Amino acid sequence: MATINGVNGVNGVNGNGHQAHHHHIGEERRKSCWYEEEIEENLRWCFALNSILHTGASQYQDITLLDTKPFGKTLIIDGKLQSAEIDEFIYHESLVHPALLHHPNPKTIFIMGGGEGSTAREILRHKTVEKVIMCDIDEEVVDFCKSYLDVNKEAFGDSRLHLVINDARAELESSKDSFDVIIGDLADPIEGGPCYQLYTKSFYESTVKPRLNAGGIFVTQAGPAGVFSHTQVFSCIYNTLKHVFQYVVPFSAHIPSYADTWGWVMASDAPFTAEVEEIDMRIKQRVKGENSFLDGKTFVSASTLCKAVRQTLAKETQVYTEKTAKFIYGHGAAHRALNA
């Protein structure tokens, strides 16, 4: 659930919640419009807005682009923040580079979802890559991001990128191609949202795995991975992939605009052997430009989970199936109020 309100009407969070010591600070705060997102039942996250840039809706999702004071431009889909200008590099570098760098020679990549274009942007920095298929079900989201996210203009125009508007499962099932890396850049498995079936054991087993080349790697975003929040879906996605692939590596990183640590899981039937020096060497040889977040040491750190999370992963027994789908907190459609 998300609301956008003038500061005196953000469901009880207002400019006078903490008395301003100086009159002019109080004035500033009263002028602000705020965006609020419900992260859990008893936890809400708000930030000050400069403006609401664009709003739209497709048959699947509500889309909003906000200009926020702390995080710059932010893309909101179905009342959940998807990416923020200031720190989306953490999410997208983590999603893309570990899988592509562990692969000896990644040429063909399939993105499930990824409509905003940032995942494609990071993939296309790899010199080995010859073909990227980006398959998103929601053309309006893709068009919206093409129009308004300047940072991805170059990626959308790259001749190696092939954009397909389809359900990822249907596309992979009908595809004659196979891929070196398949990337799940899907919305969280929210009840009523379009993505929850793409996190199940049967999907990984009978749709994803047959489309991977020998030595191929699958990686997916895997929801919140904080000390408490990792039990929502992260541990279950990890355990599900462990039932399908021989080698599975969970990793996580803090993303400020998400107000949490986020998780990814990488899986393959070939072992992940690249060490710190090898990863750094491959970055130097294969990746155009500089990473801001990810290098060899960062990946070692990201894949070293804290004790509490490791214990949960070791004990997790639930496998994600169509019958036992787990959903993280949220709603399929956002309810918004505009009373600036």
Side-chain angles (χ1 to χ4, degrees):
M1 177 178 133
T3 53
I4 300 166
N5 297 45
V7 77
N8 291 327
V10 185
N11 299 352
V13 181
N14 62 43
N16 303 320
H18 299 285
Q19 284 300 318
H21 296 297
H22 303 292
H23 177 70
H24 72 273
I25 296 174
E27 283 304 303
E28 260 320 293
R29 293 194 68 171
R30 271 192 287 279
K31 280 182 208 159
S32 285
C33 185
W34 290 74
Y35 167 83
E36 176 186 276
E37 182 175 315
E38 198 160 311
I39 296 173
E40 293 170 16
E41 193 175 355
N42 299 313
L43 183 60
R44 289 173 178 182
W45 173 234
C46 330
F47 33 88
L49 296 182
N50 289 317
S51 63
I52 297 161
L53 296 173
H54 305 281
T55 58
S58 72
Q59 64 184 102
Y60 301 105
Q61 300 166 114
D62 293 323
I63 321 157
T64 308
L65 189 65
L66 305 175
D67 181 10
T68 75
K69 290 184 179 177
F71 303 120
K73 283 185 188 175
T74 62
L75 180 68
I76 314 287
I77 295 182
D78 273 356
K80 287 191 110 44
L81 187 147
Q82 297 299 307
S83 95
E85 187 176 21
I86 199 169
D87 62 7
E88 57 89 0
F89 70 91
I90 304 172
Y91 172 92
H92 291 104
E93 288 187 20
S94 299
L95 176 66
V96 168
H97 298 305
L100 267 71
L101 293 165
H102 278 90
H103 193 285
N105 187 23
K107 292 181 178 180
T108 52
I109 320 292
F110 187 96
I111 309 168
M112 307 191 298
E116 76 169 80
S118 302
T119 298
R121 181 196 70 218
E122 292 301 316
I123 293 166
L124 291 163
R125 291 175 55 213
H126 285 252
K127 297 169 190 170
T128 59
V129 168
E130 294 171 1
K131 184 180 184 183
V132 181
I133 295 179
M134 179 173 121
C135 179
D136 201 291
I137 198 169
D138 199 333
E139 191 161 22
E140 280 91 343
V141 168
V142 177
D143 288 343
F144 188 94
C145 295
K146 267 187 183 174
S147 302
Y148 302 122
L149 300 186
D150 296 337
V151 70
N152 297 333
K153 281 249 189 300
E154 197 183 322
F156 277 120
D158 194 302
S159 62
R160 294 171 291 166
L161 181 65
H162 303 263
L163 181 54
V164 176
I165 302 300
N166 197 2
D167 169 65
R169 168 178 266 176
E171 188 61 29
L172 282 169
E173 283 172 356
S174 65
S175 175
K176 305 270 188 291
D177 295 335
S178 53
F179 303 92
D180 296 321
V181 179
I182 296 176
I183 296 179
D185 183 18
L186 299 158
D188 301 325
I190 294 172
E191 194 159 6
C195 296
Y196 59 85
Q197 291 176 335
L198 306 179
Y199 289 89
T200 61
K201 179 173 181 252
S202 66
F203 175 66
Y204 294 147
E205 214 162 41
S206 48
T207 306
V208 172
K209 201 171 176 178
R211 295 268 69 84
L212 281 172
N213 290 326
I217 296 172
F218 173 69
V219 63
T220 181
Q221 82 85 22
V227 172
F228 303 112
S229 60
H230 72 278
T231 58
Q232 292 171 10
V233 293
F234 182 62
S235 61
C236 195
I237 292 170
Y238 164 76
N239 192 51
T240 303
L241 283 164
K242 231 175 55 168
H243 279 75
V244 178
F245 291 94
Q246 212 175 333
Y247 301 95
V248 181
V249 179
F251 55 104
S252 66
H254 180 68
I255 302 179
S257 64
Y258 286 7
D260 206 348
T261 299
W262 212 255
W264 301 268
V265 184
M266 186 166 71
S268 180
D269 281 342
F272 298 105
T273 55
E275 304 282 337
V276 171
E277 291 76 15
E278 179 63 25
I279 290 172
D280 287 340
M281 176 78 76
R282 289 179 182 184
I283 290 173
K284 209 170 161 184
Q285 289 169 346
R286 303 193 325 203
V287 182
K288 283 185 193 149
E290 284 288 316
N291 284 355
S292 299
F293 180 72
L294 196 117
D295 63 2
K297 277 188 173 172
T298 306
F299 182 71
V300 169
S301 163
S303 54
T304 307
L305 303 173
C306 75
K307 182 180 177 184
V309 177
R310 292 198 313 274
Q311 285 180 332
T312 305
L313 296 192
K315 290 179 191 162
E316 183 62 74
T317 56
Q318 187 167 4
V319 171
Y320 212 36
T321 68
E322 275 86 350
K323 288 178 191 142
T324 61
K326 277 180 124 180
F327 303 113
I328 77 165
Y329 191 83
H331 303 281
H335 305 285
R336 282 201 189 84
L338 286 165
N339 2 296

